Amino acid sequence: MNLDSLKQDSLALLKRMIATPSVSRDESAVADLIYSQLSQWGLCVSRKGNNLWVRQPSCSHTAPVILLNSHIDTVRPAAGYTRDPYTPTIDNGRLYGLGSNDAGGPLVSLLAAFRHLLTTDQPYNLIFAATAEEEVSGKNGIESILPELGRIDLAIVGEPTGMQPAVAEKGLMVLDCTAFGKSGHAARAEGVNAIYVALPAIEWFRTHTFDRISSFLGPVKMSVTQISAGTQHNVVPDTCRFVVDVRVNELYSNPELLAIIKQEVGVSVSERSTRLCSSSIPISHPIVQRAIQMGMKPFGSPTMSDQALLRCPSLKIGPGQSARSHTADEYIELQEIDKGIDTYIALLDQLSL
């Protein structure tokens, strides 16, 4: 398939995606758009909710399976936009619009690589998936279709990384903590102030360091981000609630880290979820070695993606820059899309797993 035509198709589709609002949990219009386009290109599309996927027409039952995945949802437009976020505009080699960088550019680039690779003989089976709710880590996104996809031996997750390979990504736990005291009148020496009970635990979260430090992601990072206590100024509070954001490196599982925290902290700890896990892929993996041979530099990513919900080796890589994500006047360079397509193809062509 002619690469120039693929690149033109990619840009045209991305413009239409930008013009179709697709805020997380409200992606049906853009899912309809992509479904229609894939069908027009002769691809057999499956759909569940707002998630779409395509398998290569002829599969080998013994060959490994590679998933090419990126997301179709966006955040809400940031304050400070000077351009209409839903009007795709090309200016000085840049395509402006909400979702152009995160993750429309990676998605159309992966799709172009998928279409090209379908015309070649490769030692693996391919699946392309365009999924929903990534920005909110929703349960109706990629997690909901993994049983439908079956075995996956490797996933390429399209996110803006400057086309450098993220070989590790931090996981996330959000903890709701409660310290208990006893109410009393603030004017008298009575009651047990729950705020004071909470202080040692808050200090532990601020200062504690875990032993295992990742060469790519560094240490586990814990931050107390919200706190509430008391009903009025003259009542000693009997409860103090605070929230802790925990960013987990790939050397700990979420349940393992949670057990340590509960053992060490002298307050009640309740996890909102442990499903957003850290991820990593060995440097020795063939896809990483191919990337290194191509001159790329593996790194650890502090931001999260759908990698957190995958349970197979995965590599996060894509055109665009993470720093542009979720910002006003979001854009992607046109040459970044072209380079992304070329790089994905070179990375995957005749890859042996």
Side-chain angles (χ1 to χ4, degrees), residues 13 34 38 41 43 106-116 128:
L13 176 58
I34 297 170
L38 295 177
W41 286 336
L43 298 171
L107 185 142
V108 298
S109 299
L110 272 177
L111 177 55
F114 175 77
R115 293 176 67 202
H116 172 80
F128 170 79

Side-chain angles (χ1 to χ4, degrees), residues 65-108:
V65 179
I66 298 179
L67 170 68
L68 308 182
N69 166 246
S70 192
H71 64 93
I72 64 175
D73 60 316
T74 72
V75 295
R76 295 188 181 279
Y81 259 90
T82 64
R83 303 167 180 266
D84 182 351
Y86 299 113
T87 299
T89 305
I90 295 177
D91 186 1
N92 198 28
R94 296 174 173 177
L95 174 60
Y96 287 87
L98 180 62
S100 57
N101 181 77
D102 184 15
L107 185 142
V108 298

Side-chain angles (χ1 to χ4, degrees), residues 10 104-114 319 332 336-338 340-341 344:
S10 298
L107 185 142
V108 298
S109 299
L110 272 177
L111 177 55
F114 175 77
I332 190 167
E336 290 177 322
I337 299 173
D338 289 349
I341 295 169
Y344 280 140

Side-chain angles (χ1 to χ4, degrees), residues 7 9 16 21 62 68 78 85 92 100 121 125-126 142 155-156 180 192 211 218 222 232 247 249 265 297 302 345 347:
K7 291 173 181 178
D9 286 350
R16 295 173 67 198
T62 58
L68 308 182
N92 198 28
S100 57
D121 186 20
N125 300 321
L126 273 177
I142 191 171
I156 306 297
F180 296 98
V192 177
D211 294 335
M222 300 186 292
Q232 59 190 59
R247 303 289 167 156
N249 66 28
V265 178
K297 296 181 178 179
I345 292 171
L347 195 60

